[in-house]
């Protein structure tokens, strides 16, 4: 089956570019316990996920600020200073992406990302615009990993055969879902491990 893998499908956040709210909120809330409480009870991952599913950021900030008026400025910063959560590229992975593209490997992406923040990310990281034949963005599709539908959208829209695709994601749940959709999958933990697997599969020549 490995010989049949011709196509590579990337996740983006924490595979190609880093994202972590801690980078911003360490500055805004220096106390570790207070910061942890804010990120687990106010601006939670579940709240952020609703933007990945298509909820506008302005609405998200407004709803939460009315629930926590004393924290309105901190909540607004999650959107207004979003780029402070994204310090840069994941070392080594964009290089592999460029190598695969230079070899002519068909490249795609499936990402849990709000639509407007993804446009901003593409402006900041131009390789997110130029590397892929298609990108399935959860905020645009109103479907999210690890739901199977978002994988099916990529396959159907591009006429891809699941068994010919290698999917790469830092989330084990998303990797398992890709396998359920019929893809091979790599649980990303760093560029070195990914490079090793891509070479083993014959996808990277160098």
């Amino acid at each position: 089956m490995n010989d049949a893998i011709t196509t590579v499908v990337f996740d983006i956040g924490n595979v190609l570019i880093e994202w972590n709210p801690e980078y911003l909120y360490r500055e805004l809330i220096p106390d570790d316990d207070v910061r942890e409480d804010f990120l687990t009870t106010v601006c939670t991952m579940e709240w952020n996920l609703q933007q990945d599913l298509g909820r506008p950021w302005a609405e998200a900030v407004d709803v939460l600020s009315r629930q926590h008026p004393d924290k309105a400025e901190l909540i607004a910063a999650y959107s207004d200073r979003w780029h402070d959560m994204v310090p840069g590229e994941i070392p080594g992975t964009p290089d592999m992406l460029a190598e695969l593209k230079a070899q002519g490997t068909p490249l795609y992406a499936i990402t849990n990302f709000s639509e407007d923040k993804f446009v901003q990310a593409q402006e900041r990281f131009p390789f997110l615009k130029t590397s892929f034949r298609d990108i399935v963005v959860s905020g645009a599709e109103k479907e999210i990993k690890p739901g199977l539908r978002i994988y099916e959208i990529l396959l159907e829209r591009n006429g891809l055969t699941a068994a010919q695709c290698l999917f790469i994601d830092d989330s084990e749940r998303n990797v398992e879902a890709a396998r359920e959709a019929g893809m091979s999958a790599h649980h990303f933990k760093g560029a070195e491990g990914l490079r090793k697997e891509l070479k083993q599969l014959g996808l990277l020549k160098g």
Side-chain angles (χ1 to χ4, degrees):
M1 180 176 168
N2 288 349
D3 292 340
I5 297 174
T6 59
T7 300
V8 181
V9 183
F10 280 84
D11 172 36
I12 289 174
N14 292 324
V15 171
L16 289 165
I17 60 174
E18 192 172 2
W19 175 83
N20 190 337
E22 285 279 336
Y23 288 116
L24 169 62
Y25 285 98
R26 278 177 203 149
E27 174 193 334
L28 298 179
I29 310 174
D31 184 282
D32 291 347
D33 293 336
V34 176
R35 183 174 66 255
E36 182 182 2
D37 182 69
F38 177 80
L39 291 174
T40 53
T41 65
V42 183
C43 286
T44 64
M45 287 296 108
E46 292 76 14
W47 172 77
N48 181 64
L49 206 61
Q50 293 304 307
Q51 286 72 269
D52 288 352
L53 272 165
R55 179 170 64 178
W57 271 100
E59 178 186 329
V61 169
D62 180 61
V63 167
L64 204 58
S65 296
R66 281 190 272 111
Q67 294 172 5
H68 303 275
D70 57 320
K71 296 181 173 65
E73 286 187 18
L74 290 170
I75 294 165
Y78 206 104
S79 177
D80 295 343
R81 295 185 59 183
W82 179 85
H83 286 282
D84 289 335
M85 303 182 196
V86 184
E89 301 174 2
I90 298 289
T93 324
D95 295 336
M96 277 181 274
L97 183 71
E99 290 172 50
L100 290 165
K101 184 173 175 62
Q103 291 173 185
T105 305
L107 298 172
Y108 297 87
I110 302 175
T111 184
N112 286 354
F113 227 114
S114 73
E115 199 170 5
D116 60 333
K117 299 300 187 205
F118 188 66
V119 170
Q120 294 177 31
Q122 285 184 305
E123 293 298 327
R124 186 170 156 200
F125 303 99
F127 70 86
L128 295 178
K129 275 186 175 180
T130 59
S131 301
F132 303 105
R133 298 187 181 188
D134 187 24
I135 304 171
V136 178
V137 179
S138 65
E141 304 298 333
K142 312 296 191 289
E143 295 286 348
I144 203 161
K145 296 177 292 184
L148 283 181
R149 182 61 195 149
I150 197 166
Y151 302 89
E152 293 167 352
I153 288 169
L154 178 81
L155 298 170
E156 292 168 5
R157 197 157 76 192
N158 296 284
L160 301 175
T161 301
Q164 294 179 338
C165 297
L166 174 71
F167 177 71
I168 301 158
D169 201 298
D170 64 302
S171 161
E172 192 167 3
R173 289 178 66 206
N174 297 346
V175 163
E176 289 170 357
R179 290 177 180 145
E180 191 176 338
M183 299 179 181
S184 293
H186 174 85
H187 184 197
F188 181 81
K189 297 177 180 177
E192 186 178 343
L194 177 58
R195 181 174 288 277
K196 182 178 178 182
E197 176 144 9
L198 290 172
K199 285 186 173 182
Q200 287 174 344
L201 293 171
L203 289 163
L204 264 185
K205 314 302 181 192

